[in-house]
Amino acid sequence: MRVSNLFTKTSKTSPSDEVAKNAQLLIRAGFINKEMAGVYSYLPLGKKTLDNIVQIIREEMNRIGGNEISLTALQQKDAWEASGRWSDEVLDVWFKTKLANGTELGLAPTHEEPLTKLMKNFISSYKDLPSYPYQFQIKFRNELRSKSGLMRGREFWMKDLYSFSRDQAEHDAFYEKAAEAYHKVYERLGLGGFTYKTFASGGSFSRYSHEFQTLSDVGEDIIYVHEGKKIAINEEVYTDEVLRDLGVTKDELVERKAVEVGNIFTLGTRFSDVLDLNYTNEKGERQKVFMGSYGIGPSRLMGLIAEHFSDEKGLVWPENIAPAKIYLVSIGQKGSEAAEVLYETLGAKGIEVLYDDRDVRPGEKFADGELMGIPYTLTVSDRLVESGQFELKSRSGDTEARLLTQDELFASISVS
Ligand code: ATP
Ligand code: MG
């Protein structure tokens, strides 16, 4: 991608009502646009970054048998009335609207009800189970406070997977697999070292649910971390009884602030009971389908990563999710000619390059590449072309700027 072809521009300022660091940086770097509190549009670089996060989650969900779908945002009330969740008192984050004839509709804040209803068309026998549909969908929630940028949207992206199993045993086995897949996702996103499987309140079908909580000073949740066991306990279930149950003591735990980046939940037959989702087992008996739900917030993750991996110059994306691997800066006439060739060559090698081909001062190019958080800046100048060299500098600062020949450059880029 050429910077001259990007319609977005970087900016030294962000809207005065934007208090979250993640959104301030993402707006200044041209990744997102603020529409109103908790509602953001994704611009080319932001869309690319979000897509990279989504793709990592998709690969891990497909690996455990997920079937990707896309459900509707517009919801009729019948299935939600059956579950008791149409009421604004029960589910207090609804955005609702009406058809011209007065029929009430809602904008989905989650999808247990419509999916359970839909699966009635496909599940009738034990042979139809288990099944693991999932989607990436914009959810609508009228959150009371929405001041954390992408981390708490009123319109936000969620990956939600639902499991439909024959019985609790089949469910439990999948639940463990899903927890493993979640660990892999956070590992690949660069959050593995400080993301904890956290015991939280369950429902009528299991003692606990599990949240995946990433340590962060801007987190809204309080958790108690057991470093040795790599687990944590949400303050909502932090009782002597739970400590005993998990075999840990208070003095082994450290209180930390954290952001919930995912959540897995045993639903049991809560929804299949009220929506009549049944199947016939091998003995010909009618049984309720046993369900679970598994959420991850890709847009919250993008905000959290932006917030966490940043410095005074701007964003610092981990390579896996950066919108490009290299920010190519050309300086001077000969530099530009060489950069054009290099841009094509790197592209042909499948390396994502953001090429700053604009006619602006070098300092402006470097500053923009740094603000955007692209992992490597590659400089091609008249002077360097004469000596047959390129300068490669890592954004994270973990390696010094290096002068490389073209061969060294290609070797270095393809391994890192
Ligand atoms: P929270 O307690 O933070 O409100 P939640 O328990 O309501 O989260 P779930 O309903 O389990 O969240 O949603 C699944 C995932 O979606 C969460 O783990 C989180 O990563 C993400 N998520 C939830 N609410 C938001 C939001 N308002 N903005 C962005 N992401 C969100
Ligand atoms: Mg919530």
Side-chain angles (χ1 to χ4, degrees):
M1 200 187 318
R2 287 170 189 268
V3 176
S4 64
N5 191 41
L6 267 181
F7 72 81
T8 54
K9 289 192 177 67
T10 58
S11 158
K12 290 199 164 39
T13 57
S14 58
S16 56
D17 65 343
E18 182 55 74
V19 293
K21 183 171 94 177
N22 66 85
Q24 288 175 345
L25 283 171
L26 289 164
I27 292 168
R28 286 185 45 215
F31 281 54
I32 60 173
N33 189 66
K34 181 170 189 169
E35 306 298 337
M36 61 188 103
V39 182
Y40 300 88
S41 298
Y42 291 80
L43 307 178
L45 297 174
K47 170 83 167 80
K48 196 96 202 295
T49 308
L50 182 69
D51 283 351
N52 289 342
I53 295 173
V54 161
Q55 184 56 23
I56 286 176
I57 302 171
R58 175 180 287 128
E59 285 169 15
E60 297 305 333
M61 293 305 106
N62 288 346
R63 230 191 281 283
I64 56 172
N67 282 185
E68 189 169 349
I69 57 172
S70 181
L71 298 171
T72 67
L74 281 178
Q75 296 290 312
Q76 288 181 301
K77 63 182 178 182
D78 57 336
W80 299 87
E81 277 178 339
S83 72
R85 292 209 291 180
W86 182 253
S87 152
D88 294 308
E89 271 90 69
V90 176
L91 222 171
D92 60 2
V93 292
W94 273 112
F95 281 110
K96 289 181 179 166
T97 184
K98 278 194 179 76
L99 289 177
N101 68 9
T103 306
E104 274 189 298
L105 298 177
L107 293 170
T110 177
H111 277 91
E112 282 83 0
E113 283 86 345
L115 183 61
T116 306
K117 185 177 157 192
L118 183 153
M119 292 306 275
K120 282 157 67 86
N121 297 331
F122 301 98
I123 295 174
S124 60
S125 146
Y126 67 92
K127 292 178 191 153
D128 303 323
L129 296 169
S131 185
Y132 309 118
Y134 77 97
Q135 63 175 344
F136 294 93
Q137 239 266 1
I138 289 181
K139 305 289 193 229
F140 297 88
R141 291 187 184 178
N142 196 354
E143 302 276 0
L144 199 57
R145 274 169 47 86
S146 201
K147 293 190 167 174
S148 306
L150 288 191
M151 299 207 287
R152 186 167 296 283
R154 295 204 163 103
E155 175 180 332
F156 63 94
W157 283 93
M158 194 196 284
K159 183 285 300 178
D160 42 332
L161 182 147
Y162 302 87
S163 62
F164 297 86
S165 305
R166 291 173 221 200
D167 51 31
Q168 172 118 34
E170 189 172 71
H171 166 82
D172 288 348
F174 179 78
Y175 190 89
E176 287 312 313
K177 256 168 85 175
E180 280 309 305
Y182 272 46
H183 280 302
K184 283 194 199 133
V185 166
Y186 303 119
E187 195 63 51
R188 290 179 66 184
L189 293 174
L191 303 173
F194 48 110
T195 299
Y196 293 85
K197 183 171 161 183
T198 303
F199 290 77
S201 51
S204 1
F205 292 89
S206 73
R207 179 109 207 251
Y208 304 108
S209 68
H210 294 94
E211 296 167 345
F212 289 79
Q213 294 271 4
T214 303
L215 301 186
S216 164
D217 290 340
V218 295
E220 295 177 9
D221 292 354
I222 300 288
I223 63 169
Y224 294 86
V225 173
H226 192 292
E227 196 45 63
K229 295 194 171 180
K230 286 294 279 174
I231 58 165
I233 303 170
N234 191 308
E235 67 172 344
E236 68 186 21
V237 298
Y238 186 63
T239 62
D240 290 334
E241 199 194 337
V242 169
L243 294 180
R244 257 197 314 281
D245 187 32
L246 300 179
V248 296
T249 57
K250 269 199 174 137
D251 52 302
E252 295 167 337
L253 299 164
V254 186
E255 183 184 309
R256 299 296 298 268
K257 279 189 184 167
V259 174
E260 183 196 312
V261 290
N263 178 320
I264 61 178
F265 206 96
T266 298
L267 299 170
T269 58
R270 154 119 175 64
F271 294 95
S272 44
D273 277 337
V274 291
L275 289 160
D276 265 330
L277 178 63
N278 306 307
Y279 72 98
T280 307
N281 70 11
E282 285 96 326
K283 297 182 202 145
E285 300 157 344
R286 292 298 276 166
Q287 303 285 328
K288 294 286 176 203
V289 174
F290 198 98
M291 291 172 53
S293 69
Y294 311 79
I296 293 186
S299 44
R300 178 175 288 182
L301 279 164
M302 183 168 153
L304 173 70
I305 293 167
E307 183 106 15
H308 187 82
F309 297 103
S310 59
D311 60 18
E312 71 289 346
K313 292 177 181 162
L315 300 158
V316 187
W317 295 112
E319 272 188 47
N320 275 357
I321 61 168
K325 182 164 175 175
I326 290 179
Y327 197 81
L328 177 60
V329 171
S330 62
I331 302 175
Q333 182 59 34
K334 286 209 191 89
S336 294
E337 286 160 19
E340 284 290 333
V341 177
L342 196 55
Y343 177 58
E344 296 301 328
T345 315
L346 290 169
K349 287 179 185 288
I351 294 164
E352 299 256 21
V353 179
L354 189 54
Y355 172 25
D356 199 338
D357 56 344
R358 296 173 302 170
D359 185 16
V360 299
R361 287 182 302 105
E364 195 174 331
K365 297 188 183 189
F366 290 126
D368 278 354
E370 285 171 340
L371 176 58
M372 291 173 189
I374 310 303
Y376 294 94
T377 298
L378 177 58
T379 308
V380 190
S381 67
D382 286 350
R383 190 172 50 80
L384 288 168
V385 169
E386 272 163 30
S387 63
Q389 287 180 311
F390 303 90
E391 189 197 74
L392 187 67
K393 191 171 173 218
S394 107
R395 175 67 181 89
S396 65
D398 53 9
T399 50
E400 293 286 303
R402 288 175 294 163
L403 288 178
L404 303 171
T405 63
Q406 180 149 324
D407 287 347
E408 288 166 347
L409 173 71
F410 290 157
S412 158
I413 288 171
S414 44
V415 293
S416 59

